[in-house]
């Protein structure tokens, strides 16, 4: 199974764990450490799915999400927001700006891969 | 009488006389006038009227009189008078007008027309009006006469009874009276009120000299001068005193009076006690009022102050609430992040048995590091809870700050290396030992240094320095070349919940590298720890000019340093153990000589462990962990090796 996934987080360990799990599943995983870098990767590498952390330097996850969803050329990019804040208001905020999914840290890697399969394979 | 009328008078006059009689007249006086002779008539009328006034009988004036004359008549009479005016038509009397009753009596066969009668009536009206005014005037005069009469009668009565009345007045008056002999100024008479005012019994004042009732100033006065004062009416500023010598609440007035041709001085003592009481009462009330007003004003100020305070407190509460919300969100984030790594990698390890040994090792290392990070965070939160509950405690013992600093710098070396930051430790070698909680101060220094490293740009220098200040404290300084702290944030960075991220200029927390975020508790905890040591912590900074953090800790006193060498050895051992753990070669000079030299300092309790033992002298670093037994007198609080960073 193929598919390009961008993982964006400023926490190197979280980046490492997500990348490891997703690569194991055979995905083409690319990484970004902040929002600005994420936008560059999204435009250049056109991932089908983006795991997007919220609290990041330079440009936060909400801003990245809003930019992607506001660009018709990137309309087919799926976005899963990842947040460690875990408050209802954060979830609402994420979904209101067009995120497809909102996951709270800590997450289970197996759950993550399940969701990724559903989204990318079933085209949900 | 009616008979006289019958014979003498014309029918008209008879009619008029009849009217007069019916009004209660007891006699009739007739005056007959002739045309053109009013003066004569007037005189005649006056005589008649004067008589009627004196005898009280009714006067009847008849004849030709002009209005002016009749007015004069009426004015002079004023008593019960019947006044009639003859009605003249073409020179003949045709009737009389009763000026009081307002009736018109006409002659039996008046050769007059209706028009004549109209004219007549007008005339009568006019005359009546004049009469009315006159009557009023008469009434006033009579009243005035009556008043004069009353006065006269009273005067007369008074003349008859004045002596008696004066006696009564004198005896019973509410004011004190004195009668003085003008020559000798002795009291010839005093009324009972005067006696009681001055505190004397009946008759006791009589014969005394006036100065017995005066204060010293009056006594010292020349008699002539005193007499002069008295005859002028006042004693001036002289005060009257009573038998007991106390001032009397009276105001004394004097007057020269003639009694039976001889001048005497009469003194009247106006009782001022009531006035004074009222005055005092008024003053008291005024004072109370003023106090009340002041009280009220203060209360008002307090109230508005309270309101202001309440408003401020409210604002502060709101800010605190916001800060707490922010804090919760931030702590949630901080706790979840390492937890995420731990959970992810443990699950990866569980489900990826085929992972390489290298990968497995990496993952376990990550789990370990993140668990430590989590521990630190939890410790911070627990410290906060302790601070909030006022339960944070420190256990002090003397130790060498130099060693502590070296430990902290070493433990953060990787972080510094990552950003190529040079940490320069300039602590003087002869820094005196400090008395403090080593673990807690380790925490403070670690916190401050890691903050400095976090905020410093790459390739900069962080300087750590310390010296002894004038107050017997060691002052530690940590200076970085970071972005500095904006003025408005300087004051609150030591507050609980203030986000470390907030202190960065022009960067909302969202945009910060969140590893710098932390819980925002570090500095608050530092402040608490330093405060518990009796020291203080402060910061000096300006945007763009780096930040310098300072704190002070007390220098250990000699008593605390009872076994300074031992402590410093303990520190060295601790450091050596730490280095050994890291696999580094110890460059520490472990001066253990005191163990074999009998004269050196030993624990005061002289327990056996403190005596020189060859085997102890041969102690090697690997055996050192058991060493602190020697220091039981002032035991290091934790087991060695204690440092887990």
């Amino acid at each position: 199974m193929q598919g390009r996934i961008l993982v964006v987080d400023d926490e190197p360990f979280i980046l490492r764990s997500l990348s490891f799990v997703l690569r194991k599943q055979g995905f083409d995983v690319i990484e970004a450490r902040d929002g600005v870098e994420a936008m560059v990767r999204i435009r250049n590498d056109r991932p089908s799915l983006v795991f997007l952390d919220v609290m990041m330097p330079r440009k936060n996850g909400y801003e990245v999400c809003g930019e992607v969803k506001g660009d018709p050329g990137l309309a087919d990019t799926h976005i899963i927001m990842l947040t460690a804040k875990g408050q209802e208001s954060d979830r609402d905020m994420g979904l209101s700006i067009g995120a497809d999914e909102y996951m709270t840290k800590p997450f289970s890697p197996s759950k993550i891969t399940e969701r990724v399969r559903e989204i990318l394979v079933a085209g949900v | 009488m009616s008979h006289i009328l019958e014979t003498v008078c014309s029918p008209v006059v008879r009619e008029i006389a009849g009217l007069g009689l019916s009004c209660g007249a007891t006699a009739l006086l007739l005056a007959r006038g002739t045309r053109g002779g009013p003066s004569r008539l007037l005189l005649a009328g006056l005589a008649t009227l004067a008589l009627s006034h004196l005898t009280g009988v009714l006067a009847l004036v008849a004849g030709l009189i002009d209005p002016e004359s009749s007015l004069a008549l009426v004015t002079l009479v004023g008593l019960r008078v019947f006044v009639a005016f003859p009605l003249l038509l073409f020179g003949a009397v045709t009737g009389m007008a009763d000026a009081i009753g307002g009736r018109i009596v006409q002659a039996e066969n008046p050769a007059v027309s209706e028009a004549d009668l109209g004219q007549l009536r007008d005339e009568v009206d006019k005359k009546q009006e004049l009469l009315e005014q006159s009557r009023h005037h008469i009434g006033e005069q009579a009243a005035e006469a009556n008043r004069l009469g009353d006065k006269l009668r009273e005067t007369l009565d008074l003349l008859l009874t004045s002596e008696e009345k004066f006696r009564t007045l004198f005896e019973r008056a509410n004011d004190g009276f004195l009668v003085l002999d003008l020559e000798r100024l002795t009291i010839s008479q005093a009324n009972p009120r005067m006696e009681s005012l001055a505190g004397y019994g009946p008759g006791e004042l009589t014969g005394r000299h006036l100065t017995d009732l005066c204060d010293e100033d009056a006594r010292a006065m020349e008699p002539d001068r005193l007499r002069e004062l008295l005859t002028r009416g006042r004693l001036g500023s002289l005060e009257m005193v009573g038998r007991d010598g106390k001032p009397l609440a009276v105001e004394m007035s004097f007057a020269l009076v003639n009694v039976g041709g001889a001048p005497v001085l009469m003194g009247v003592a106006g009782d001022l006690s009531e006035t004074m009481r009222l005055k005092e009462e008024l003053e008291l009330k005024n004072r109370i009022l003023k106090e009340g007003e002041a009280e009220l004003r203060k209360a008002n100020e307090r109230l508005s102050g309270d309101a202001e305070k309440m408003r401020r407190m409210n604002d502060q509460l709101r800010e605190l609430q916001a800060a707490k919300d922010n804090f919760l969100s931030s702590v949630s984030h901080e706790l979840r992040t390492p937890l995420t790594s731990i959970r992810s990698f443990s699950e990866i390890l569980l489900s990826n048995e085929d992972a390489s040994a290298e990968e497995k090792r990496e993952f376990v290392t990550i789990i370990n590091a993140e668990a430590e990070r989590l521990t630190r965070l939890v410790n911070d939160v627990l410290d906060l809870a302790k601070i909030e509950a006022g339960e944070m405690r420190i256990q002090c013992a003397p130790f060498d700050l130099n060693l502590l600093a070296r430990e902290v710098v070493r433990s953060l070396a990787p972080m510094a290396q990552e950003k190529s930051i040079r940490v320069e430790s300039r602590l003087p070698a002869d820094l005196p030992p400090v008395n403090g909680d080593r673990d807690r101060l380790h925490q403070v220094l670690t916190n401050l240094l890691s903050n400095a490293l976090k905020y410093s740009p790459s390739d900069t220098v962080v300087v750590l320095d310390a010296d002894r200040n004038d107050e017997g404290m060691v002052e530690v300084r940590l200076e970085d070349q970071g972005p500095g702290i904006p003025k408005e944030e300087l004051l609150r960075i030591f507050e609980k919940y203030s986000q470390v991220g907030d202190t960065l200029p022009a960067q909302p927390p969202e945009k910060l590298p969140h590893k710098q975020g932390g819980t925002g508790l570090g500095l608050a905890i530092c402040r608490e720890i330093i405060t518990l040591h009796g020291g203080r912590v402060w910061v000096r900074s300006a945007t763009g000019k780096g930040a310098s953090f300072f704190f002070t800790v007390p220098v250990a006193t000699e008593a605390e340093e009872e076994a300074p060498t031992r402590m410093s050895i303990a520190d060295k051992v601790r450091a050596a153990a730490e280095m050994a753990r890291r696999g580094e070669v110890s460059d520490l000079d472990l001066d253990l000589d005191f163990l074999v030299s009998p004269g050196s300092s030993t624990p005061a309790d002289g327990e056996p462990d403190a005596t020189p033992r060859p085997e102890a002298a041969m102690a090697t670093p690997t055996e050192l962990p058991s060493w602190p037994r020697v220091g039981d007198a002032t035991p290091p609080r934790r087991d060695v090796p204690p440092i887990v960073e």
Side-chain angles (χ1 to χ4, degrees):
Chain A
M1 177 171 59
Q2 287 301 311
R4 179 169 289 167
I5 300 176
L6 171 65
V7 184
V8 192
D9 203 310
D10 60 332
E11 281 288 339
F13 298 151
I14 290 175
L15 215 52
R16 176 83 176 95
S17 67
L18 273 173
S19 301
F20 182 87
V21 170
L22 294 170
R23 283 199 182 108
K24 274 271 168 192
Q25 298 296 318
F27 293 108
D28 173 15
V29 181
I30 52 176
E31 298 177 356
R33 298 283 297 259
D34 62 54
V36 174
E37 197 186 332
M39 279 316 297
V40 174
R41 303 308 296 262
I42 289 168
R43 290 189 193 283
N44 294 349
D45 303 332
R46 303 302 305 272
S48 341
L49 176 63
V50 181
F51 276 97
L52 193 55
D53 183 30
V54 174
M55 276 176 72
M56 290 184 301
R58 299 217 277 174
K59 187 178 276 184
N60 71 34
Y62 296 137
E63 290 172 295
V64 173
C65 183
E67 212 168 304
V68 170
K69 292 299 172 183
D71 185 341
L74 302 173
D76 54 347
T77 312
H78 284 88
I79 291 184
I80 298 179
M81 305 285 295
L82 289 176
T83 184
K85 279 186 159 183
Q87 281 165 11
E88 286 296 315
S89 57
D90 299 324
R91 170 182 289 267
D92 294 346
M93 173 76 179
L95 296 180
S96 74
I97 55 167
D100 298 275
E101 192 91 31
Y102 193 97
M103 299 183 96
T104 309
K105 296 176 186 176
F107 46 78
S108 151
S110 52
K111 284 268 167 56
I112 291 277
T113 52
E114 258 171 52
R115 275 310 284 152
V116 171
R117 270 173 212 283
E118 281 167 21
I119 290 169
L120 293 186
V121 176
V124 175
Chain B
M1 187 129 61
S2 55
H3 172 71
I4 300 171
L5 284 173
E6 286 286 335
T7 53
V8 180
C9 303
S10 69
V12 173
V13 175
R14 265 206 309 277
E15 182 77 17
I16 293 169
L19 274 172
L21 292 170
S22 73
C23 287
T26 52
L28 286 174
L29 289 162
L30 303 178
R32 192 182 293 270
T34 56
R35 293 179 82 179
S39 304
R40 198 157 42 84
L41 254 183
L42 176 63
L43 287 173
L46 274 176
T48 314
L49 290 168
L51 183 65
S52 86
H53 176 69
L54 290 174
T55 55
V57 298
L58 179 135
L60 174 65
V61 181
L64 293 173
I65 49 170
D66 59 344
E68 211 174 318
S69 312
S70 64
L71 177 65
L73 285 170
V74 172
T75 306
L76 284 166
V77 174
L79 293 178
R80 285 181 62 217
V81 182
F82 171 71
V83 182
F85 298 101
L87 302 176
L88 298 175
L89 273 177
F90 315 112
V93 174
T94 55
M96 290 292 281
D98 165 13
I100 295 169
R103 283 171 296 177
I104 292 173
V105 185
Q106 280 188 291
E108 271 167 2
N109 295 303
V112 291
S113 64
E114 276 299 314
D116 294 333
L117 277 179
Q119 191 189 344
L120 189 70
R121 283 195 189 95
D122 289 346
E123 214 171 303
V124 168
D125 283 348
K126 254 183 258 166
K127 288 188 176 173
Q128 191 160 358
E129 198 177 309
L130 286 166
L131 190 70
E132 198 63 42
Q133 289 174 358
S134 309
R135 258 201 321 190
H136 180 66
H137 197 69
I138 289 162
E140 273 185 337
Q141 284 194 331
E144 177 62 24
N146 283 344
R147 272 200 297 277
L148 285 168
D150 284 348
K151 224 175 218 174
L152 196 63
R153 200 162 32 250
E154 276 170 30
T155 316
L156 214 59
D157 286 349
L158 198 67
L159 281 172
L160 295 174
T161 60
S162 64
E163 202 179 333
E164 185 193 337
K165 283 196 171 177
F166 175 73
R167 175 74 22 213
T168 313
L169 210 70
F170 191 77
E171 295 293 335
R172 299 188 189 165
N174 216 15
D175 292 328
F177 281 100
L178 281 176
V179 179
L180 297 174
D181 181 290
L182 184 60
E183 199 52 43
R184 290 175 292 167
L185 294 179
T186 51
I187 297 166
S188 47
Q189 254 186 305
N191 73 342
R193 178 63 179 157
M194 189 70 231
E195 289 165 345
S196 73
L197 275 174
Y200 290 87
E204 281 184 0
L205 273 175
T206 313
R208 283 181 184 273
H209 199 266
L210 173 67
T211 50
D212 288 354
L213 286 177
C214 295
D215 64 3
E216 307 223 329
D217 292 343
R219 279 178 216 170
M221 216 177 269
E222 286 287 321
D224 287 346
R225 167 99 180 102
L226 185 60
R227 190 178 300 108
E228 191 197 328
L229 274 178
L230 294 174
T231 49
R232 273 199 278 139
R234 292 265 159 181
L235 208 45
S237 60
L238 298 179
E239 270 190 6
M240 305 300 288
V241 297
R243 179 174 230 165
D244 53 6
K246 283 182 184 161
L248 299 181
V250 297
E251 186 187 46
M252 205 85 198
S253 311
F254 291 89
L256 203 54
V257 204
N258 265 310
V259 174
V264 294
L265 264 173
M266 179 93 120
V268 184
D271 184 359
L272 292 180
S273 59
E274 182 68 3
T275 315
M276 282 167 81
R277 196 184 60 77
L278 285 174
K279 207 173 137 194
E280 272 169 23
E281 206 169 279
L282 195 70
E283 271 169 13
L284 185 72
K285 280 180 178 163
N286 258 331
R287 207 163 51 240
I288 290 171
L289 195 69
K290 259 180 206 153
E291 277 166 17
E293 276 173 358
E295 221 24 60
L296 199 67
R297 207 166 28 242
K298 258 186 265 171
N300 250 335
E301 280 163 15
R302 244 194 332 266
L303 270 179
S304 60
D306 283 354
E308 178 58 28
K309 222 180 283 172
M310 289 284 276
R311 222 172 2 253
R312 271 204 306 272
M313 271 170 68
N314 232 337
D315 288 349
Q316 279 171 358
L317 274 178
R318 242 196 313 273
E319 274 172 33
L320 195 67
Q321 190 55 45
K324 272 197 166 176
D325 287 348
N326 206 357
F327 168 75
L328 278 181
S329 162
S330 153
V331 163
S332 165
H333 181 271
E334 290 304 310
L335 292 175
R336 280 166 195 268
T337 301
L339 210 53
T340 304
S341 300
I342 293 167
R343 181 167 180 185
S344 298
F345 284 107
S346 53
E347 194 180 311
I348 287 169
L349 280 172
L350 283 173
S351 53
N352 289 280
E353 285 179 10
D354 57 332
S356 70
E358 200 180 324
E359 278 174 332
K360 281 179 181 169
R361 185 177 167 77
E362 181 201 349
F363 297 160
V364 173
T365 308
I366 291 173
I367 289 171
N368 191 44
E370 291 291 82
E372 264 187 41
R373 178 173 164 188
L374 203 55
T375 306
R376 276 200 305 276
L377 288 165
V378 169
N379 282 341
D380 270 9
V381 175
L382 289 178
D383 280 350
L384 172 76
K386 280 186 196 166
I387 292 172
E388 296 272 88
E391 281 171 2
M392 185 176 262
R393 303 274 182 270
I394 54 166
Q395 283 175 289
C396 294
F399 68 90
D400 184 349
L401 201 59
N402 255 310
L403 278 171
L404 178 74
R406 213 180 302 182
E407 270 175 37
V408 171
V409 172
R410 271 178 208 274
S411 72
L412 291 173
M415 192 172 167
Q417 276 158 15
E418 200 180 315
K419 293 172 82 174
S420 304
I421 295 170
R422 186 156 48 90
V423 179
E424 271 183 31
S425 183
R426 298 181 188 164
L427 270 67
D430 59 350
L431 199 65
V434 296
N435 185 43
D437 188 316
R438 200 180 193 282
D439 288 352
R440 286 300 190 184
L441 291 175
H442 187 285
Q443 189 181 349
V444 170
L445 208 50
T446 303
N447 196 297
L448 293 180
L449 183 55
S450 66
N451 271 351
L453 294 174
K454 273 180 205 167
Y455 294 118
S456 289
S458 296
D459 303 311
T460 55
V461 179
V462 172
V463 177
L464 178 62
D465 196 0
D467 55 30
R468 183 180 185 147
N469 71 10
D470 305 336
E471 298 154 0
M473 307 283 277
V474 167
E475 183 179 306
V476 181
R477 293 178 294 277
L478 192 68
E479 193 183 329
D480 67 45
Q481 298 173 337
I485 302 160
K487 208 174 178 182
E488 61 273 18
E489 303 224 356
L490 277 178
L491 282 176
R492 55 187 204 94
I493 57 168
F494 290 107
E495 298 300 325
K496 295 182 281 261
Y497 310 131
S498 79
Q499 295 265 355
V500 174
D502 289 353
T503 62
L504 274 188
Q507 268 186 301
E510 287 282 296
K511 296 199 172 184
L512 285 172
H514 77 221
K515 271 199 285 183
Q516 291 184 3
T519 52
L521 291 176
L523 289 176
I525 294 168
C526 286
R527 183 178 65 174
E528 184 74 10
I529 292 170
I530 296 301
T531 306
L532 286 172
H533 278 85
R536 57 190 196 99
V537 59
W538 68 102
V539 62
R540 203 173 291 158
S541 179
T543 306
K545 292 188 175 172
S548 298
F549 282 83
F550 304 78
F551 69 87
T552 55
V553 279
V555 171
T557 63
E558 281 183 20
E560 288 157 353
E561 282 187 80
E562 215 170 88
T565 318
R566 187 183 64 235
M567 284 315 300
S568 107
I569 290 284
D571 278 337
K572 288 179 180 181
V573 166
R574 209 178 273 123
E578 161 73 357
M579 291 175 75
R581 195 173 66 84
R582 289 166 184 264
E584 291 169 8
V585 177
S586 166
D587 61 352
L588 296 171
D589 173 22
L590 286 180
D591 176 12
L592 303 177
D593 285 353
F594 77 98
L595 289 173
V596 287
S597 84
S600 65
S601 86
T602 53
D605 55 7
E607 61 181 72
D609 273 350
T611 55
R613 288 181 304 175
E615 62 271 32
M618 287 160 64
T620 63
T622 50
E623 292 170 334
L624 283 172
S626 65
W627 176 249
R629 252 180 344 127
V630 175
D632 280 351
T634 43
R637 282 191 307 98
R638 53 187 187 182
D639 296 333
V640 176
I643 303 157
V644 179
E645 291 299 335

